[in-house]
Amino acid sequence: AYAQDVGKTLFDSGKYAESSEWYAGELKHLPPEWLRNKLLYNLGTSLIAEKKWDEAERAFFAISKEAYTFPLFRLRLLYNQLLILWYQ
């Protein structure tokens, strides 16, 4: 398994705070844009699980607009943004 599986493994184990910290740490390495978008999405999802709505919203809005051109990604992103609005 490659390094990106670490955050997902933590998330799937219910360790949402650790997952969020891992994704935030990976973003500090200035990954390429496609990976940055994926890390931001996963970070936002982990933050939702922690009920950190404002931080999750910031993570999702930091995703580049080019990422919205992928239909499935766009659908998942919009769904998570609606969750944030619902629970805020």
Side-chain angles (χ1 to χ4, degrees):
Y2 60 103
Q4 292 178 38
D5 289 343
V6 173
K8 182 174 178 359
T9 300
L10 291 167
F11 184 88
D12 291 345
S13 301
K15 298 177 181 179
Y16 306 125
E18 290 176 44
S19 177
S20 296
E21 289 174 21
W22 188 85
Y23 288 123
E26 288 299 300
L27 285 164
K28 291 178 183 176
H29 297 292
L30 304 174
E33 187 173 342
W34 67 269
L35 181 54
R36 180 180 176 275
N37 290 333
K38 182 177 178 178
L39 291 168
L40 284 166
Y41 175 83
N42 291 339
L43 173 60
T45 302
S46 293
L47 292 166
I48 285 175
E50 291 184 77
K51 298 182 178 162
K52 293 183 176 181
W53 314 115
D54 293 336
E55 291 177 52
E57 185 176 37
R58 282 192 294 275
F60 290 134
F61 282 109
I63 293 172
S64 72
K65 299 303 176 210
E66 290 78 25
Y68 285 79
T69 61
F70 299 99
L72 184 58
F73 185 77
R74 182 178 182 180
L75 180 64
R76 290 179 177 172
L77 185 57
L78 292 173
Y79 173 79
N80 281 341
Q81 289 172 332
L82 285 172
L83 278 177
I84 291 167
L85 291 173
W86 177 264
Y87 287 107
Q88 277 184 329

